[in-house]
Structures are given as structure tokens and as C-alpha cells.
Amino acid sequence: MDFFDPLRREFQSLVETHEWQGRTVDVRVKTLKPEEAIGNPEHSDYPIIKGRERMMEAEFFGGRGQAFTDMYGNFVGTLGDVSSMSLDNNYRRAVFLATLNAVSRHLGIVDKTIHCKDDAPPKCAKALALYVAKNFSHPKIALVGLQPRMVESLAREFDVRVTDLDPDNIGTTKFGINICGPEHTVANIEWSDLVIATGSMLTNDTLCEVIGKKPAIVYGVTIAAPAHFLKLTRFCPYGT
């Protein structure tokens, strides 16, 4: 399953519908510092604070959109440049996703394209546990991508298995849950009743490996517009 083909078509359709393809409208994408992206939360164990990943932000006519990535840098170009860009690495995919989110936000297609800050991540995690209980009763959960507050909150109520890409996390125990490497993802999904995956998996082009096998929730700002166009269930109650 290739998610980027339909997303590129949707993006090109938006550009052509509004006759933006030939206009010299700059799309400026910048890399945010951790405090710009997440503020000053109480806990310091978030990936964006640890330094392996950063948030890239695009702005288009006042609409701001973000994408989480481990391959970051600044970019300036037109919408035509972005729509024709080869999406062959995490940096290029992050530019595309941040821009798609910004354009979609400008048009009012989606909201909550900016990461929550300060005391919101723990509130988000608690809200997620309530959402899961309300909509899925008491499922076994395969969490793909370590979001510490989500693990903490979900592990109190459900059976949870977690996989992550960060070698510093793999083999550790967080809130009583063993954190495994990505080679365990398929087995975890087979075991689970529900998959909860970080939207940043779209940036590294691995989301296709976990969607479609079990009921799934994707979370975060990276996947704001993609979730709308791909008709995925997205959870991001405290984004702005």
C-alpha cells in the first residue's frame, strides 16, 4: 500500500483547483527548536526533546502545518516544487507533509496541525485511554512508536505491547512495558485487537506496514491532512 500516490494526487488537485501551480508563492519550511514545538512540558523523555527528531513547519498564507522527522532541514520553494518533488527520503517526505498540512489548514480542510505544548501531552494521553475504552472496550493494544505519556496512561488500563525505532529505547522497560525493536511489530499487531501508531510513521514511509491489518488509530500533527484524505481515524485532541 503506497499512501503517497493518493496524497500527491490530492495535493496536486488542491494546487490546480486554486490555480496555484504557476504562481510564485513561496512555501517556507523551517526546523523548530524543541521548545518551539512542544514548549516546556514537565517530563523530558519525549523524542523531540531527546534530540533524535525534530519538527519541521511550513507556512502558507497564514496556514501552518508540521511534520515530525529524524532528517530535517530548511526548504524554500513553490507549491509546484513540492508537488513534483521526489519523495525518496525522510527529509523530502517531511517537507511534503508539512506543506500539505499547511495548505489544508489554510483552506480549512483540517485543523490541529500544530503540536500541543507544555502540560497538554499528559492530558492527551489520558484522553486517549478514555477514547479507547469508550470505542473499543478493553482491547489488547499494539503501540507503534514510543510516546512515553501514552504508554504510561494506556498501560494502567490495557494490555499493551510497544515497538520503537530508537536504539536507546529498545530493550528498556517503561512503566512496566518492555520496549521492543521494529522486528516485533508484525507479531504485536497479530496479537493485538487495536493498533495505535504515530503519524510520523508516514514520514519514514512505514505506516503502510501497520494499517489495514487491525482497527487502527493514528495520532499527532504529522498526519493531520493525510488522515483526512486517506480516511484514517486520527487522535489529536490538544493540537492547535
Side-chain angles (χ1 to χ4, degrees), residues 15-187:
V15 173
E16 292 167 5
T17 297
H18 294 85
E19 299 182 346
W20 288 331
Q21 181 73 27
R23 293 180 61 180
T24 56
V25 178
D26 281 347
V27 177
R28 300 182 180 272
V29 182
K30 65 179 182 178
T31 304
L32 300 182
K33 298 176 181 178
E35 59 271 21
E36 291 178 299
I38 199 171
N40 295 285
E42 179 181 355
H43 303 89
S44 61
D45 54 354
Y46 299 101
I48 200 167
I49 294 178
K50 292 171 62 179
R52 292 187 180 275
E53 298 177 309
R54 287 287 183 269
M55 191 73 80
M56 290 177 63
E57 180 176 286
E59 183 172 352
F60 179 71
F61 284 160
R64 294 162 60 206
Q66 297 179 337
F68 205 39
T69 179
D70 63 351
M71 189 176 184
Y72 41 87
N74 295 338
F75 171 87
V76 179
T78 65
L79 291 184
D81 294 332
V82 176
S83 68
S84 61
M85 179 183 294
S86 176
L87 304 178
D88 55 3
N89 62 37
N90 291 358
Y91 164 73
R92 288 169 175 263
R93 287 187 286 266
V95 169
F96 174 81
L97 292 169
T99 305
L100 176 62
N101 284 332
V103 170
S104 299
R105 179 64 178 266
H106 165 69
L107 292 171
I109 295 171
V110 297
D111 59 7
K112 302 185 187 302
T113 56
I114 304 301
H115 200 287
C116 63
K117 294 184 177 181
D118 301 328
D119 62 347
K123 294 179 181 178
C124 173
K126 292 177 181 178
L128 176 60
L130 292 173
Y131 177 86
V132 169
K134 179 180 178 180
N135 291 279
F136 299 93
S137 187
H138 195 80
K140 295 181 293 185
I141 298 172
L143 185 65
V144 188
L146 173 62
Q147 207 283 10
R149 300 291 76 72
M150 288 185 178
V151 176
E152 184 178 16
S153 182
L154 293 171
R156 293 193 185 107
E157 306 292 335
F158 309 99
D159 293 330
V160 181
R161 293 184 181 179
V162 182
T163 54
D164 195 60
L165 292 174
D166 189 341
D168 287 348
N169 292 327
I170 296 170
T172 65
T173 299
K174 307 285 186 181
F175 313 106
I177 305 297
N178 294 325
I179 311 302
C180 298
E183 68 275 9
H184 293 271
T185 298
V186 171

Side-chain angles (χ1 to χ4, degrees), residues 184-197:
H184 293 271
T185 298
V186 171
N188 285 2
I189 292 174
E190 291 177 351
W191 163 86
S192 74
D193 302 307
L194 174 68
V195 176
I196 301 178

